[in-house]
Amino acid sequence: MSQNYNQNPEYRTYGYPQGYGAVPSQTPAYGTQQYIPPQTQVPTQPVQQPQVSPTLPGQLPIEASYIENILRLNKGKLATVYATFENNREWNAKIFKGVVEAAGRDHLILSDPQSGVRYLLPMVYLDYVTFDEEIEYEYPYGLAPNLSTYPPR
């Protein structure tokens, strides 16, 4: 049987019919055609900058209403910060009370006015924040920075 297998020209290329898998000597017809796009010209329009969506009274623009920005607006106010630290045997949840000194994209700095201790809290652990007074949520008219293009740190 192996003798017939090797001698049969139909099965010389690893058991496949002759020509199957062999490199063709000429390019097939579908490869010789070239697509030529239509010669219509589309008038170019100037690129427009994205429009900032209108804000509702009492709210920050959608791209500006992040916790870090709200905390910055309330710099100097006494806050109670609730944080959760997973896989910690000593304390899983902790409450920090202090004055908001600064807030960044990934951190919050509080200072305890009674002890003078300063806390640098990663935002990833922050659950929520409470204030004993009304919080600021709007930038003063005309002084609002363009927060959507705020440079990275």
Side-chain angles (χ1 to χ4, degrees):
M1 179 169 181
S2 64
Q3 207 174 35
N4 288 340
Y5 177 79
N6 289 333
Q7 289 179 357
N8 188 344
E10 189 176 335
Y11 295 104
R12 283 191 186 152
T13 55
Y14 302 103
Y16 295 109
Q18 185 176 5
Y20 186 87
V23 179
S25 60
Q26 60 182 347
T27 308
Y30 65 84
T32 59
Q33 296 176 355
Q34 183 179 12
Y35 174 73
I36 301 172
Q39 296 297 323
T40 58
Q41 290 187 350
V42 178
T44 58
Q45 297 177 350
V47 177
Q48 295 180 357
Q49 295 296 328
Q51 297 292 326
V52 177
S53 59
T55 59
L56 298 173
Q59 293 186 354
L60 290 173
I62 292 172
E63 62 275 334
S65 62
Y66 295 107
I67 291 174
E68 66 179 90
N69 295 330
I70 298 166
L71 289 169
R72 279 190 203 116
L73 285 171
N74 292 281
K75 185 176 170 180
K77 292 185 180 180
L78 187 64
T80 306
V81 177
Y82 297 84
T84 304
F85 304 90
E86 294 182 26
N87 301 322
N88 190 321
R89 295 180 196 265
E90 293 180 37
W91 35 267
N92 181 285
K94 190 159 174 77
I95 300 171
F96 299 91
K97 204 166 191 131
V99 175
V100 176
E101 285 194 6
R105 291 186 178 181
D106 67 345
H107 66 278
L108 169 65
I109 299 175
L110 290 179
S111 63
D112 185 345
Q114 294 177 346
S115 67
V117 173
R118 287 183 168 71
Y119 301 101
L120 173 61
L121 303 170
M123 288 283 198
V124 70
Y125 299 123
L126 187 133
D127 290 328
Y128 64 96
V129 180
T130 61
F131 293 90
D132 292 335
E133 59 185 293
E134 190 172 328
I135 62 172
E136 293 295 324
Y137 194 70
E138 281 187 47
Y139 279 93
Y141 180 73
L143 299 176
N146 187 355
L147 295 174
S148 63
T149 59
Y150 198 80
R153 298 185 184 156

